[in-house]
Amino acid sequence: MEELRQKYIAAIAAATDEAALEALRVQAVGKKGEVSLKMRELGKMTPEERQVAGPALNALKDEINLALTAKKVGLADVALDARLRAEWLDVTLPSRPVRRGSIHPISQVTEEVTAIFADMGFAVAEGPQVEDDWHNFDSLNIPGHHPARAEMDTFYMSRKEGDNRPPHVLRTHTSPVQIRSMLKQGAPIRIICPGRVYRCDYDQTHTPMFHQVEGLALGKDISMANLKWVLEEFFSAFFGTEVQTRFRASHFPFTEPSAEVDIQCSWEGGTVKVGEGNDWLEVLGSGMVHPKVLEAGGIDPNEWQGFAFGIGIDRLAMLKYGIPDLRAFFDSDLRWLRHYGFSPLDMPSIHGGINR
């Protein structure tokens, strides 16, 4: 046993890797190892011989196992030390730049618009982007022959052959949300409806998908004067300066009377500046809600009346932040996003959002 002890203790001390160490463990104390075989011979010994050989073999096995464990820890320390020497890092060097994402101008302006109207008492209402024909057109007093219902202007969903129901559409405005809100809540009501809308158009100022925010206020004594005040308060807060508006008579199927709204501006060097000068820029359509629309929303037009308006969020972003092309909003160009994007810490406020 002394020869075995010296043999394996020396071999363990000379081992250079864990594979060699594992081979020695199997050779010494494995099921068929030399020490294990010696322990099987105890049954052939007399009781007196076992009393001497048994404790000696157990002590030898424990000594070899302790030597194996200590050597394994030593090899791990050596490997870690070599790795640390090879993978050293100078912690005094400046860190690598970490690129942060930015808030898209559409998201930022939507939050700014929501904050301003919320301060005036408007709640936010939402609805589906795939609408049925009744909510998108019929309930809004849009007749079947209206150009907006043509396939050249509206995205229609396909129906199975033999299904003669009117096809669903990708909503062309967020006005269906007003109908759904009136049917659900009734009057009085004061809401805005921001969201994506879809139309078949594509150029520098139009895209097949864009964003709108529409407003609706119903009461018993609401008039166009209230509409003008709300819009002027909104524009003044949004652009951070006093903005005058001009109403021009127009026609929309869902409002009567209807008006297109211009805001005061000036043109200098091809750049528009809102709130100053003697020029005017059209920005939205509005009017008093048509009685047939109120009836479709389950509201008595003889008792209630109110105004509605619709503004393009994308166009507001272009005006406020000097973005020249609407198509760039949807190009996913990282350079554009880094330039026009906003930090997550740039929280909008009712005092004009983020002014640059």
Side-chain angles (χ1 to χ4, degrees):
M1 283 189 286
E2 180 61 25
E3 290 179 0
L4 287 177
R5 190 189 72 80
Q6 293 180 1
K7 172 185 175 181
Y8 285 110
I9 294 299
I12 291 170
T16 57
D17 55 50
E18 291 191 14
L21 204 62
E22 177 63 16
L24 286 172
R25 186 194 68 80
V26 173
Q27 185 180 347
V29 295
K31 289 183 179 180
K32 297 182 180 180
E34 290 189 66
V35 176
S36 299
L37 292 176
K38 288 287 185 184
M39 297 187 74
R40 292 179 187 178
E41 295 177 1
L42 291 175
K44 300 177 182 180
M45 298 179 183
T46 63
E48 292 78 10
E49 291 174 332
R50 284 200 298 271
Q51 287 180 358
V52 176
L57 283 171
N58 284 329
L60 176 59
K61 183 178 181 180
D62 290 342
E63 186 177 359
I64 291 174
N65 281 328
L66 287 173
L68 288 168
T69 302
K71 185 64 176 180
K72 187 174 182 179
V73 171
L75 289 174
D77 290 341
V78 171
L80 178 60
D81 184 65
R83 180 181 175 187
L84 291 175
R85 291 177 182 277
E87 299 179 1
W88 68 276
L89 177 67
D90 186 353
V91 295
T92 64
L93 290 174
S95 62
R96 294 175 181 175
V98 178
R99 292 193 178 276
R100 295 182 300 172
S102 59
I103 304 297
H104 196 282
I106 294 297
S107 300
Q108 181 72 20
V109 170
T110 301
E111 291 298 321
E112 292 178 18
V113 170
T114 301
I116 295 170
F117 278 113
D119 188 60
M120 290 191 283
F122 286 78
V124 176
E126 296 180 332
Q129 297 182 38
V130 178
E131 273 290 5
D132 58 72
D133 195 64
W134 186 83
H135 281 94
N136 197 77
F137 294 121
D138 294 332
S139 64
L140 296 167
N141 197 37
I142 300 176
H145 61 271
H146 195 278
R149 302 183 75 151
E151 291 187 358
M152 62 186 301
D153 195 58
T154 299
F155 291 102
Y156 284 89
M157 313 296 285
S158 62
R159 290 281 191 190
K160 291 184 178 180
E161 187 175 354
D163 189 342
N164 297 321
R165 291 178 299 167
H168 280 47
V169 300
L170 295 180
R171 66 183 183 188
T172 58
H173 42 197
T174 55
S175 300
V177 181
Q178 299 181 17
I179 296 294
R180 292 180 179 274
S181 299
M182 285 190 284
L183 289 170
K184 180 180 180 180
Q185 180 177 335
I189 190 173
R190 193 184 302 179
I191 58 170
I192 57 169
C193 315
R196 293 189 186 96
V197 295
Y198 306 84
R199 294 181 191 174
C200 300
D201 208 350
Y202 188 72
D203 57 37
Q204 187 175 359
T205 57
H206 298 85
T207 53
M209 181 193 79
F210 56 102
H211 301 79
Q212 272 189 345
V213 56
E214 299 193 10
L216 172 70
L218 298 179
K220 294 189 175 181
D221 56 356
I222 292 179
S223 67
M224 291 284 283
N226 302 116
L227 170 63
K228 184 176 179 64
W229 179 87
V230 166
L231 293 178
E232 289 190 350
E233 286 292 306
F234 164 73
F235 286 126
S236 297
F238 182 75
F239 290 107
T241 184
E242 185 176 353
V243 179
Q244 300 295 323
T245 62
R246 181 180 69 174
F247 280 51
R248 291 180 291 105
S250 185
H251 171 73
F252 304 112
F254 30 79
T255 53
E256 180 60 39
S258 302
E260 291 182 345
V261 180
D262 304 333
I263 56 175
Q264 178 190 9
C265 69
S266 66
W267 296 89
E268 295 181 6
T271 302
V272 61
K273 294 185 177 180
V274 176
E276 59 182 61
N278 299 317
D279 292 324
W280 298 93
L281 178 67
E282 178 195 343
V283 288
L284 63 90
S286 64
M288 299 297 290
V289 182
H290 197 288
K292 290 187 177 180
V293 175
L294 292 175
E295 290 176 353
I299 294 175
D300 185 0
N302 295 316
E303 184 178 359
W304 303 94
Q305 64 185 28
F307 62 77
F309 59 86
I311 313 172
I313 294 177
D314 316 66
R315 194 157 297 175
L316 285 175
M318 293 174 71
L319 282 174
K320 183 171 182 178
Y321 297 114
I323 302 173
D325 195 324
L326 181 61
R327 293 167 293 189
F329 281 87
F330 311 101
D331 285 344
S332 299
D333 187 330
L334 286 177
R335 296 167 301 175
W336 186 92
L337 289 171
R338 292 185 189 117
H339 179 73
Y340 287 108
F342 294 82
S343 167
L345 298 179
D346 289 343
M347 297 299 293
S349 69
I350 62 173
H351 304 295
I354 307 300
N355 288 305
R356 289 183 169 177

